[in-house]
Amino acid sequence: MRVLVTGGAGFIGSHVVDALVAHGHEPVVFDVREDPDADVRDREAVARALYGVDAVCHQAAMVGLGNGFADACEYVARNDLGTAVLLTAMADAGVRRLVLAGSMVVYGEGRYACARHGVVRPGPRAVADLAAGRFEPRCPECGAELNSELVGEDAPVDPRNVYATTKLAQEHLAAAWARATDGVAVSLRYHNVYGPRMPRDTPYAGVASFFRSALARGEAPRVFEDGRQRRDFVHVRDVAAANVAALEAAAPAGALTAYNTGSGEPHTVGEMARALAAACRGPEPVVTGEYRLGDVRHITADSSRLRAELGWQIRIGFADGMREFARAELREG
C-alpha cells in the first residue's frame, strides 16, 4: 500500500513511517520539516502529493494546550483548515482510506463515578479550588469524592481548550468526508505518547519531554498539582503499530470509527516523573502545587476496542519504556 503520511518527519509520524516500511508498505512523507512547500493548507501541494496514493495517515497538526485563546486562529488554520483541504483533495483524487491522529483531549475530564449518584460529569475545575490545592473534581450533585474510571469511546465529548476543540472538529470533518465519499475513516485517539524523537523544550511538548529535558540539565522535574493526576502513557512505537493496524484492517465505509489508543495501564504523573528520574539517575522530582487552567485531572483509556477489533496489543510496558526514554534521542522543535 502506498501511504501518504502528513507530518511524517515529526515525532509520531516518523515512527509511523518506520512501521509502514517494516510491514512492506510504501510511505510518502509530506512534512514542512523536509519541504517548506509541504503544507496541508496548500491545495495544489496536497493534490500533487496524493498522486498514486492508496491511503492517508494524517499526523500533521499543531499540538499542545496552547496559550489561552491567543493562538486560536493558528490552531484552527493548521488543524481544521488543513484537514479540510486534505479531505477535499482526497475526495477529488479518489483516495478513500484515512487514519487520523486523534486525541483523548476530546473527552475533557475522564470518567468519574460517585458512590451515591453513579457516573457523573464534573464541570471544569474552579480557579479558587486549584489555587487552594483542591485538585480533585467533586460530584456535581452532592459534592462527594469521586472515583476515576477508564474512558470508553462512547463517552460524551467535552473539549475544554482550543487544541481539543480543533481535534474534535477534525473527527467531524473526517466523518463528513466518509459519508460523502463512502470512504473509510479511523481516528486513533492517542493518550499520552512518549518515546524517542520526542521534541524537547518547546511550548507544545508533552510532560514526559519536559521532565526528560530537566533531568538532562541536572535539574529536578517539576510536577504540577500534587502529582497524583492519572494518565495513560503509551509508547510511540506502539502508537505507530496501531496506525498500521488501522490502515490494514477492514473497517466500515461511510463512517468514522474512533479507537482509544493507550496502554491500558494508568500511572500518575508523579509516578512517571519518579520512574524517569530513577532511570536517568537524576534528582528526585519536586511537586510544586502549580497548575494550568485547561488541564484535566484524570484521563485514562479503555483501549479494549482497539485490541479486540484490530488485534493490536502493547509491546512496550511502562517500566521498560521509561528506561529506554531516559536514554533516547530527543529532537529540537
Side-chain angles (χ1 to χ4, degrees):
M1 192 185 310
R2 184 175 168 88
V3 183
L4 181 68
V5 184
T6 69
F11 167 41
I12 298 175
S14 64
H15 285 277
V16 171
V17 168
D18 291 347
L20 286 167
V21 171
H23 283 77
H25 300 293
E26 181 187 355
V28 178
V29 174
F30 187 82
D31 195 308
V32 291
R33 297 174 186 86
E34 293 195 348
D35 179 357
D37 295 327
D39 189 328
V40 290
R41 296 168 293 184
D42 185 329
R43 298 186 182 191
E44 293 183 359
V46 172
R48 288 193 299 270
L50 285 168
Y51 182 78
V53 162
D54 303 300
V56 173
C57 191
H58 185 28
Q59 304 293 316
M62 182 176 178
V63 300
L65 182 63
N67 181 25
F69 211 79
D71 44 14
C73 293
E74 189 70 12
Y75 271 106
V76 172
R78 293 197 189 187
N79 296 353
D80 298 337
L81 175 60
T83 299
V85 169
L86 173 66
L87 293 171
T88 300
M90 289 174 65
D92 292 342
V95 180
R96 296 291 183 264
R97 193 167 194 93
L98 170 74
V99 175
L100 172 69
S103 176
M104 54 86 178
V105 295
V106 301
Y107 298 117
E109 281 286 356
R111 177 184 169 96
Y112 294 90
C114 171
R116 180 179 175 187
H117 295 100
V119 175
V120 295
R121 298 186 66 200
R125 295 180 293 170
V127 173
D129 286 337
L130 294 170
R134 295 187 293 269
F135 301 119
E136 293 289 345
R138 295 279 178 161
C139 176
E141 302 294 332
C142 65
E145 293 184 2
L146 299 172
N147 293 318
S148 66
E149 301 179 346
L150 299 181
V151 178
E153 290 88 350
D154 297 329
V157 292
D158 184 19
R160 295 191 174 180
N161 56 57
V162 171
Y163 170 64
T165 302
T166 64
K167 295 306 291 182
L168 181 58
Q170 283 184 313
E171 289 195 355
H172 289 317
L173 287 165
W177 166 84
R179 286 192 295 270
T181 65
D182 202 34
V184 173
V186 173
S187 177
L188 298 175
R189 290 176 175 169
Y190 301 160
H191 280 246
N192 290 73
V193 185
Y194 73 96
R197 305 176 205 159
M198 200 170 187
R200 73 169 85 237
D201 297 332
T202 76
Y204 306 107
V207 65
S209 174
F210 284 125
F211 292 166
R212 164 67 198 279
S213 294
L215 288 162
R217 296 190 299 268
E219 300 171 2
R222 294 177 59 81
V223 180
F224 279 15
E225 299 188 16
D226 58 4
R228 297 175 184 169
Q229 54 273 48
R230 282 186 288 280
R231 297 291 187 267
D232 187 318
F233 300 101
V234 58
H235 196 278
V236 67
R237 288 198 297 275
D238 285 327
V239 168
N243 276 270
V244 175
L247 284 164
E248 293 179 340
L256 178 134
T257 306
Y259 293 104
N260 285 335
T261 307
S263 70
E265 185 184 345
H267 289 274
T268 68
V269 172
E271 283 179 299
M272 189 266 282
R274 290 191 294 273
L276 194 54
C280 290
R281 299 184 179 180
E284 281 288 307
V286 175
V287 178
T288 68
E290 297 173 81
Y291 61 89
R292 296 194 308 177
L293 291 178
D295 276 351
V296 298
R297 180 60 174 174
H298 305 299
I299 176 73
T300 53
D302 179 356
S303 299
S304 57
R305 179 185 293 179
L306 181 59
R307 294 194 299 270
E309 296 186 7
L310 301 189
W312 172 81
Q313 57 184 313
I314 289 294
R315 302 288 185 185
I316 304 168
F318 179 79
D320 289 341
M322 286 297 148
R323 282 192 291 269
E324 182 206 36
F325 186 54
R327 304 183 302 274
E329 180 183 357
L330 304 185
R331 65 177 177 83
E332 302 297 330

